[in-house]
Amino acid sequence: MPAVSKGDGMRGLAVFISDIRNCKSKEAEVKRINKELANIRSKFKGDKALDGYSKKKYVCKLLFIFLLGHDIDFGHMEAVNLLSSNKYTEKQIGYLFISVLVNSNSDLIRLINNAIKNDLASRNPTFMNLALHCIANVGSREMAEAFASEIPRILVAGDTMDSVKQSAALCLLRLNRTSPDLVPMGEWTARVVHLLNDQHLGVVTAATSLITTLAQKSPDDFKTSVSLAVARLSRIVTSASIDLQDYTYYFVAAPWLSVKLLRLLQCYPPPEDASLRSRLIECLETILNKAQEPPKSKKVQHSNAKNAVLFEAIALIIHHDSEPNLLVRACNQLGQFLQHRETNLRYLALESMCTLASSEFSHEAVKTHIETVINALKTERDVSVRQRAVDLLYAMCDRSNSKQIVAEMLSYLETADYSIREEIVLKVAILAEKYAVDYTWYVDTILNLIRIAGDYVSEEVWYRVIQIVINRDDVQGYAAKTVFEALQAPACHENLVKVGGYILGEFGNLIAGDPRSSPLVQFNLLHSKFHLCSVPTRALLLSAYIKFINLFPEVKGTIQDVLRSDSQLRNADVELQQRAVEYLRLSCIASTDILATVLEEMPPFPERESSILAKLKKKKGSSKLPDMDDSRRNVNGSTEHTEDTEVASKGPSHTFTDMLNLNSTPSSGASLLVDVFSDITSPVPTEGSEEHFPRFVCKNNGVIYENQLLQIGLKSEYRQNLGRMYVFYGNKTSTQFLSFSTSVTSSDILNTQLNVQEKPVDPLIEAGAQVQQILNIECVSDFSDAPVLNIQFRYGGTLQNIAVKLPVMLNKFFQPTEMTSQDFFQRWKQLGAPQQEVQKIFKAKNQMDTDVTKAKLLGFGVALLDGVDPNPANFVGAGIIHTKTTQVGCLLRLEPNTQAQMYRLTLRTSKESVSQRLCELLSEQF
């Protein structure tokens, strides 16, 4: 930076600032500012031309006034004029004023752009840096359009100075974040990768940040960066601190660059080249070894820099998930941090171990730290650390330690912070069900859960326990006895009354032989809670009473008296009144046979995945679940939106919500069968069927096929043009499946548009077991067809063949894009060609519900833009379809007409075939 001369001190500015500071009141400050603004305005409008120094001084004063919180509505042109000055200080103030005060929509942008172009072409490194900083600070779309093609040329030019390269890389990074569709990918991409070999570490650091962002967008264009990143990382971790003296921070060599290189490597799978992979493993081992060395300084900056590199290295080890030795070492290193005196380190260690617990290689190593984690749960002062401890206990739980972990969580629940109680309740309910060998333990656990934290037990939890009790004959008598005993407590939570009413109404006859739990005792016990309950619970108890009339004719008169009372027949609540009237009339006129038929025991519920998982995911967010990867490593960058399906029936209320959420992939060593599939209530036909294909347009999880033998479920994750699909095959029979094999076939055209790679599947599926297969998907270009999954196996000596159409649609490769109203309409006008727009008007197939429509559009993959459409009832969305060859921007508008029960869907994209396909897919969802 050029030296500042004495004349640049701007004494007038210093005096003005001093006057402001000396003001005794707000009124005095405003008066002084108004006086100065009047003086500056008169100077700007005066006949005498101002020299550069005066302009700079007055513009500086305006900038200071603005920073004090006052509006500035003049002086912009004078600031723009300063850009043409050849003096550094004048040009610097001009750019500073523009960066802070000039709106991206200003009429002066064209003049500013011309000045920036002149400075970029000047080859003066100081002026070029100022111009690049201004572009990055303003970051408007107009500037991106003007300079997005120029900046890459500056970046890779051989004669560009190092400081300018740094600024150019960071400027391009900023433009890529604000206007990714305007940054062109060209021959410069191959050359920018080689900046990782630059001698100047500042250039390497800036280039690594840029390449990491671009690699997430177009991984194939930057895959050569892996070898260069590994080589540079190797040189850093093996160097002594004196080798990189200018970039050594408290005895840690280039910590920021190391972290950025490790993050870049997390954009790619482990290197296939053996020597490169070996060198990377050596780097990671060196980082782990250095963590064990005694600290070279006692200052916190040293430990922070050292640990930053260590945690990023562990993140890379977890991301690759392929080196058992490194995973176990990482786990042991994190285990040491669990007892560290620094709270932040304990938090990060717990968070990283949550992810390690989901790896088959390190799960057992994580389990060895269970006592330490339990101790953290009991003794930690920071609630966020305790919450991470709960997450880790949940992630490390399996059949061997489930009872211990559930017991500890229940014990902690009594004193837990209110903010995390609901989450702990959900996790306890999930673990108790998932690892219940003895279902009496499961019933005891859930009832204990309701007793300890009844206010935090959601409907999904008590719905699920009733569903399981009804489906398992061996636990019904025990459940009835247990809830009967629990209801005898003087104070019962309302959720316990609901469970008790339902279970005794169904299975009270199983304990009626005991005089202590005779029919009349059961009824009196339930009715003693009636007046304390809310209306929905009273309605459920009335249904239990009519069930009692069928089970126990001897209490019929007592129950009829209750139903006949004025408090029921003339109840202010319509639902309670209607139930009382109908149940009383039914008990009076129906014969015993009719009564037994109408009020027969509830049939078993279809086996399905618990809705509690979906409740937990909705509460935590998909990126926060302990057994899901960090969003940086996750294949799916968007939040999953699932829909609740409620089935309500008269009689005992059982609106059982059923939402699918496969929130983790089971480890290969796991032998338990959890029915991870969804909400279907009738088997799919045995032949290959496309019946459930449309359901997957707006969701990624669910059952795609089911017959009497086999159930096939899917969990899919997508990021940009890449996807991963987990296929779960569940054997529903009591016989093994032999010679089990699968293959994915596509049409010749689809083979050029979509790459699907399948990993081998176990050829033997035990009775009642399930196996998992992973399909890796790459979208090469836009497509309209779908691949077919062919399954073949032997069952009972007979060869079975099944063909299933895989729900891989074009919208799965959407990346949601947030836009302002102005940007949206500007882009909408640009896509105004007839072939770019597709419009369809269609009749609504389902009820027109705003929340459901919003959830479907989010599930479709676009970002919903609020406040863009003048009509608030309309939906406006934006996104980018990512393929290997290109990116296609998409804008949509959905206009519902509730009176006519019609929709109008308008889609505009830069490619006609994409518009047509997206319109076909989305219009079928409403």
Side-chain angles (χ1 to χ4, degrees), residues 733-765:
T733 72
S734 56
T735 306
Q736 291 178 335
F737 288 168
L738 303 174
S739 304
F740 192 93
S741 63
T742 65
S743 62
V744 178
T745 57
S746 305
S747 64
D748 292 339
I749 296 177
L750 186 60
N751 272 328
T752 64
Q753 300 166 333
L754 195 72
N755 293 330
V756 181
Q757 295 178 343
E758 53 181 315
K759 295 196 174 180
V761 65
D762 195 333
L764 177 69
I765 304 181

Side-chain angles (χ1 to χ4, degrees), residues 33 37 41 62 65-66 69-74 101:
I33 287 173
L37 287 175
R41 189 178 273 109
L62 290 176
I65 292 169
F66 175 79
H70 300 270
D71 291 332
I72 299 298
D73 55 4
F74 69 99
L101 271 93

Side-chain angles (χ1 to χ4, degrees), residues 638 814-818 861-863 878-880:
S638 63
F814 249 130
Q815 191 77 22
T817 304
E818 297 289 344
V862 297
I880 298 174

Side-chain angles (χ1 to χ4, degrees), residues 827-846:
R827 185 63 177 158
W828 184 267
K829 291 175 183 176
Q830 290 174 352
L831 297 173
Q835 68 273 18
Q836 293 177 326
E837 179 183 290
V838 173
Q839 189 173 92
K840 186 174 183 179
I841 300 173
F842 53 93
K843 190 82 175 173
K845 300 177 184 176
N846 307 307

Side-chain angles (χ1 to χ4, degrees), residues 201-242:
L201 286 191
V203 174
V204 180
T205 305
T208 306
S209 297
L210 174 63
I211 294 168
T212 301
T213 302
L214 295 176
Q216 291 170 349
K217 178 180 172 183
S218 305
D220 286 346
D221 292 340
F222 297 93
K223 58 186 177 183
T224 55
S225 64
V226 173
S227 58
L228 297 176
V230 171
R232 174 63 78 172
L233 182 65
S234 176
R235 293 201 295 274
I236 293 173
V237 299
T238 57
S239 66
S241 57
I242 55 171

Side-chain angles (χ1 to χ4, degrees), residues 721 753-754 777-783 810 813 882-884:
N721 70 313
Q753 300 166 333
L754 195 72
I777 304 162
E778 181 186 37
C779 178
V780 180
S781 62
D782 62 282
F783 60 97
L810 185 59
F813 302 95
H882 286 263
T883 71
K884 183 179 180 180

Side-chain angles (χ1 to χ4, degrees), residues 527-601:
H527 197 55
S528 67
K529 315 292 182 185
F530 187 89
H531 66 288
L532 300 171
C533 299
S534 62
V535 169
T537 306
R538 292 184 185 187
L540 186 147
L541 289 177
L542 289 178
S543 298
Y545 297 167
I546 192 66
K547 286 271 188 172
F548 270 21
I549 292 178
N550 178 47
L551 291 175
F552 315 118
E554 61 266 33
V555 297
K556 180 176 180 180
T558 306
I559 294 174
Q560 284 179 332
D561 289 341
V562 171
L563 295 174
R564 197 177 285 118
S565 64
D566 284 350
S567 61
Q568 305 301 337
L569 293 182
R570 297 184 180 181
N571 197 294
D573 186 87
V574 176
E575 174 68 19
L576 292 180
Q577 186 187 73
Q578 183 178 354
R579 287 196 183 214
V581 171
E582 291 180 359
Y583 290 163
L584 177 61
R585 192 65 182 152
L586 178 65
S587 67
C588 292
I589 66 171
S591 65
T592 306
D593 291 340
I594 292 176
L595 207 58
T597 302
V598 173
L599 302 173
E600 66 180 349
E601 186 178 304

Side-chain angles (χ1 to χ4, degrees), residues 402-444:
S402 56
K403 289 193 175 182
Q404 179 188 6
I405 287 177
V406 167
E408 292 293 346
M409 283 188 172
L410 282 173
S411 174
Y412 172 63
L413 189 56
E414 298 191 35
T415 57
D417 299 82
Y418 294 110
S419 60
I420 62 173
R421 283 195 179 187
E422 184 180 1
E423 182 187 326
I424 297 174
V425 166
L426 293 172
K427 288 179 173 176
V428 169
I430 291 167
L431 295 178
E433 177 187 344
K434 187 175 183 181
Y435 299 113
V437 177
D438 177 4
Y439 275 88
T440 59
W441 171 72
Y442 170 74
V443 171
D444 287 339

